[in-house]
Amino acid sequence: MPFSTPTNLNNADTNSIGIRQKLPFFGKLGLKEKAATQEVRVAEQSFAPKEREIISMVKMAYADLFMAQKATEILREQLDIMRTIIRATEARYQVGRVTQQDVFKALLEQSEVMNQLINVEAESSAAQAKLNSAMHRPLRSAVQLRQISRRRGRI
């Protein structure tokens, strides 16, 4: 627009600028919110059984691992006792107080305990892998069991 005719409205161009925005009809946002809330509830309910299943799997695997490790401890103690018995039996055999058959029986018992120990250690490894799998960790990662202290009847 030239400065010679600063306010000549008759020669003004008719350009218009507009802005549009869709406004939802009254109550539509509330209904969308309710529908979304309902979808969230349905999704949560569909995950709840799977969550309970995973928790149950972890508890069972932990219990299996605990029992296997306790059995390992007991068998190691039995093995130590068997070694002591074998030494005593061999000493008694050398002085003629027992037969060679008694020494062989003690050695056989030691072999049986060693076989049980091997089986229980394999069960422990399997239980550890099962627990790690249920918790989505590498199968060979170490699992530390908490020590259970007993105080006057409490576990």
Side-chain angles (χ1 to χ4, degrees), residues 16-150:
S16 64
I17 297 174
I19 298 175
R20 285 189 181 181
Q21 180 180 1
K22 290 186 176 183
L23 295 174
F25 196 70
F26 298 109
K28 259 190 162 182
L29 287 179
L31 290 174
K32 283 185 179 182
E33 178 186 1
K34 287 181 183 178
T37 303
Q38 188 64 23
E39 285 179 24
V40 167
R41 285 189 189 133
V42 167
E44 286 175 348
Q45 289 175 357
S46 69
F47 289 125
K50 190 65 175 173
E51 181 182 22
R52 285 191 299 271
E53 179 184 341
I54 291 170
I55 289 171
S56 172
M57 286 173 44
V58 168
K59 286 181 178 182
M60 291 296 292
Y62 187 85
D64 291 344
L65 180 60
F66 178 80
M67 293 301 292
Q69 288 187 354
K70 287 299 176 184
T72 301
E73 289 177 21
I74 291 169
L75 287 171
R76 286 183 194 279
E77 289 175 11
Q78 284 182 345
L79 197 56
D80 289 340
I81 293 169
M82 287 303 303
R83 287 182 181 133
T84 304
I85 291 173
I86 289 170
R87 281 193 302 271
T89 306
E90 286 174 343
R92 293 179 79 191
Y93 171 71
Q94 288 175 354
V95 295
R97 298 190 82 189
V98 295
T99 63
Q100 189 176 17
Q101 182 180 3
D102 292 331
V103 175
F104 289 148
K105 283 181 183 178
L107 289 170
L108 180 64
E109 284 291 323
Q110 180 186 19
S111 297
E112 289 177 7
V113 171
M114 289 174 86
N115 287 336
Q116 289 175 354
L117 181 62
I118 290 169
N119 290 335
V120 169
E121 285 176 344
E123 288 175 13
S124 178
S125 295
Q128 182 174 349
K130 190 172 159 185
L131 179 62
N132 285 330
S133 173
M135 297 178 69
H136 298 289
R137 294 192 304 193
L139 295 180
R140 300 243 182 230
S141 64
V143 177
Q144 295 293 326
L145 297 180
R146 287 193 288 170
Q147 294 294 326
I148 298 176
S149 62
R150 295 180 184 219

